[in-house]
Amino acid sequence: MSDRLDGEKSETVAWRTPRWLRGPRPERVPGIVGTAGVVVGLLNLAAGVFPRFRHSRMHALAEVLPGAVSPLAAAASIVVGILLLLLAHGLKRRKRRAWGAAVALLPVGIAAQLVYRHSVFGAVLSLALLGFLVWHRKEFAALPDPRSRWKALANLIVLGGVSFGIGMVIVSSHPDKTVGSPSFWDRTQHVLWGLFGFEGPVRYTHDIDYTVGYSLGALGLLTVATTAYLAFRPEHPAARLTEDDEERLRELLAKHGARDSLGYFALRRDKGAVFSPTGKAAVCYRVISGVMLASGDPIGDVEAWPGAIERFMEEARAHSWTPAVHGCSETGGQVWTRETGMDALELGDEAIVDVADFTLSGRAMRNVRQMVKRIERNGYTTQVRRVRDLEPEELERVQKAADAWRDTDDERGFSMALGRIDAVKDSDAVIATAHLAPAEGEEPGPFGDLKALQYFVPWGPNGISLERMRRDRSADPGMNELLIVAALQAAPDLKIEQLSLNFAVFRSALERGEKLGAGPVTRITRGTLLFLSRWYQIESLYKFNDKFRPRWEPRFVVFRNTRDIPRIGLATMQAEGYLELPRVLRRKKAAEPRPCAHTTERVKAPGVVETAA
């Protein structure tokens, strides 16, 4: 045989194990087991609930887990089916405890197969599944999620409702063996009594009473047992910023805080922090619905960012959380994508005003100038001070006013909110207030002459970032413009060189869509955003920001897979405190644009904005 041609690579031919003999890839094992758990759980649930199902062609498949011929086996089949459905999500996320629960359930299933059904075939299949889980036990090493006692209440409500629904099906699934024609109320009573272990008013023949009774009792016991477990299990609290972490973050911000306008918001006390091995950088995050959500750029030295990001990813892998970053800068997005292999999507733009370039003169600023002059003629005055310069009584009045003027019961915000006004720890913060003296003979309001306020957190030594804006609903329109202008005019005396206003979602898409020659896709995108602006003020926020002629800095969301985007979006809305269905569905009135600052009245999630009073 002739020699190979020059440049052709030679290779050693080696025998490889066929794909079907090698088994599933390790990364696919949890998904396979989780999906199998759902299918087998449904089969067992159906086998326990529907008597005819047990004698159908699916009978052989239902034998994989405990059977449902005898009354006890029927109850066991229902319980195991429900538990497998509950465990399926944890198995897909590689949770160690879900694996342990599944491994503990299978021997019970094997015993039920042999004792009640004498089914060797079903026991062998259950044993094979158990062996598969044990063989791949290293794939299930994820630690538990942060939790709270509220999950016990949620379990009681949800699983109690599911148990009642299944119970109604069980009671109604034996029409040919039911004595008489019990009414809906009779069946309801029978289910409720049965869940508590008592006999109800419905009667059956051919010993069906035992099957129904055991099944309802098992459902009630399962609901009580799982609720008790969730309520009394050892506490595993969600991440919180410790005093030591806060001190370390403040040291990093003192050295590198000028790099990112959102850096100071890392000091929210409901965030956790992971530090690089050298301690020179940190990533702050919250865990919401299985999403490990970081906010802004890492804090600290850029050269140490990779170490902090690696620790962040290790923590996500250890708990099988979905990693994501919300609101990072372009530099931050480049580092995140380079170090993790994740992808980035432009979320919007941050409006930043350079104090040296700001002026009220010129035609472009005419609307702002006229509004500010009109409000000043109405008697309003402004003050812009560091928080440490406020007297304790005035600071207390400002705090109470900020709470009273809030649109919601709780503070909102995550990546662009601090959630507090603290003159001790945040003494360099700046507060701008608007005042109106009461007319002659008029009683002052509950907060004196205070009518509006804006709060700015430090952005390095020479910048501030808008955290919240509140106003009395009886105040004249234009309070936001008045206080922003006042803050910009007072900035030189406070040695402030730049001011971050707020975040405009999808600003570039709106801007490109209104230009001459925009393509059909761009126009459709802009039209969709304009439609959503009827509820969420996407366009009006962009237009409001643009009044002050800012420079726009893009902000990004970083994600692992495209399929994770909906989940990350929901987690972001939960973190920002905006996931309230009535508020989402309620259409807002077309009033003056009320910008959402880096706070509870700021952009809450992609396309979601809450106005400031």
Side-chain angles (χ1 to χ4, degrees), residues 532-550:
L532 294 175
S533 295
R534 300 169 65 188
W535 289 273
Y536 300 135
Q537 292 193 352
I538 299 173
E539 184 193 30
S540 59
L541 178 62
Y542 157 52
K543 296 296 186 183
F544 181 91
N545 292 337
D546 204 44
K547 289 181 181 180
F548 301 95
R549 301 300 173 220

Side-chain angles (χ1 to χ4, degrees), residues 455-491:
Y455 185 64
F456 303 82
V457 299
W459 171 15
N462 303 314
I464 53 177
S465 186
L466 184 57
E467 197 266 351
R468 75 178 66 187
M469 44 177 54
R470 305 278 168 82
R471 69 173 185 132
D472 189 336
R473 295 183 182 276
S474 65
D476 290 0
M479 289 291 104
N480 293 323
E481 289 90 339
L482 174 68
L483 290 179
I484 289 173
V485 170
L488 288 167
Q489 291 176 337

Side-chain angles (χ1 to χ4, degrees), residues 87-364:
L87 293 172
H89 182 65
L91 291 172
K92 285 185 177 181
R93 295 183 57 205
R94 307 171 185 267
K95 293 300 182 180
R96 186 70 179 179
R97 291 186 176 180
W99 175 89
V103 169
L105 277 175
L106 284 172
V108 176
I110 294 172
Q113 298 276 1
L114 296 176
V115 173
Y116 296 114
R117 300 193 58 190
H118 310 290
S119 174
V120 177
F121 177 71
V124 169
L125 289 180
S126 297
L127 185 61
L129 181 57
L130 176 62
F132 184 82
L133 285 172
V134 173
W135 180 263
H136 293 283
R137 61 187 178 277
K138 293 183 179 179
E139 298 298 323
F140 299 88
L143 300 175
D145 289 346
R147 57 178 179 256
S148 68
R149 304 300 184 193
W150 287 107
K151 289 190 176 181
L153 179 60
N155 180 83
L156 178 63
I157 296 173
V158 174
L159 190 54
V162 171
S163 297
F164 176 80
I166 295 175
M168 289 294 291
V169 175
I170 292 173
V171 171
S172 304
S173 61
H174 305 274
D176 55 336
K177 296 180 177 62
T178 304
V179 177
S181 299
S183 64
F184 177 80
W185 175 240
D186 290 335
R187 285 177 287 169
T188 300
Q189 292 184 78
H190 195 87
V191 172
L192 293 176
W193 282 112
L195 291 176
F196 287 96
F198 301 100
E199 190 172 350
V202 181
R203 295 292 179 266
Y204 300 92
T205 61
H206 298 85
D207 294 329
I208 298 300
D209 299 76
Y210 295 104
T211 301
V212 174
Y214 283 140
S215 299
L216 293 177
L219 287 172
L221 180 62
L222 177 63
T223 302
V224 172
T226 54
T227 301
Y229 168 74
L230 293 173
F232 298 108
R233 62 182 173 172
E235 187 68 21
H236 183 70
R240 290 291 185 270
L241 199 65
T242 65
E243 292 292 335
D244 180 61
D245 288 343
E246 183 175 348
E247 290 302 318
R248 296 174 68 184
L249 287 175
R250 288 185 182 276
E251 292 176 4
L252 294 178
L253 288 170
K255 297 177 182 178
H256 308 282
R259 210 209 57 78
D260 185 13
S261 64
L262 307 186
Y264 202 85
F265 299 114
L267 299 177
R268 279 183 64 97
R269 297 192 178 106
D270 59 356
K271 291 182 179 180
V274 289
F275 291 83
S276 65
T278 62
K280 294 182 179 180
V283 175
C284 297
Y285 69 94
R286 278 186 65 187
V287 178
I288 304 290
S289 299
V291 177
M292 190 176 184
L293 191 63
S295 58
D297 291 345
I299 308 299
D301 189 352
V302 176
E303 294 183 358
W305 283 8
I309 291 173
E310 183 179 359
R311 288 284 180 87
F312 175 88
M313 297 301 292
E314 288 176 355
E315 189 80 2
R317 283 191 294 270
H319 293 83
S320 192
W321 292 330
T322 300
V325 186
H326 176 75
C328 65
S329 68
E330 187 170 4
T331 301
Q334 290 173 348
V335 177
W336 273 101
T337 54
R338 184 187 69 225
E339 295 296 326
T340 65
M342 294 197 292
D343 203 355
L345 180 68
E346 185 173 346
L347 189 61
D349 297 272
E350 180 185 9
I352 299 175
V353 180
D354 294 313
V355 174
D357 298 333
F358 177 76
T359 178
L360 281 177
S361 303
R363 183 177 181 84

Side-chain angles (χ1 to χ4, degrees), residues 470-527:
R470 305 278 168 82
R471 69 173 185 132
D472 189 336
R473 295 183 182 276
S474 65
D476 290 0
M479 289 291 104
N480 293 323
E481 289 90 339
L482 174 68
L483 290 179
I484 289 173
V485 170
L488 288 167
Q489 291 176 337
D493 295 334
L494 298 174
K495 296 182 171 46
I496 294 171
E497 299 176 358
Q498 53 188 352
L499 186 151
S500 171
L501 283 178
N502 48 61
F503 182 71
V505 179
F506 306 130
R507 182 204 67 88
S508 58
L510 289 170
E511 184 181 48
R512 289 193 300 266
E514 64 183 356
K515 289 183 178 179
L516 182 65
V521 176
T522 304
R523 290 181 180 274
I524 291 174
T525 302
R526 182 174 182 270

Side-chain angles (χ1 to χ4, degrees), residues 568-596:
I568 293 170
L570 289 175
T572 302
M573 294 175 69
Q574 287 180 270
E576 300 286 0
Y578 201 86
L579 197 59
E580 296 181 16
L581 185 60
R583 180 175 292 277
V584 171
L585 295 178
R586 186 166 62 243
R587 180 175 174 176
K588 295 179 173 65
K589 296 180 180 180
E592 62 160 325
R594 302 166 188 170
C596 298

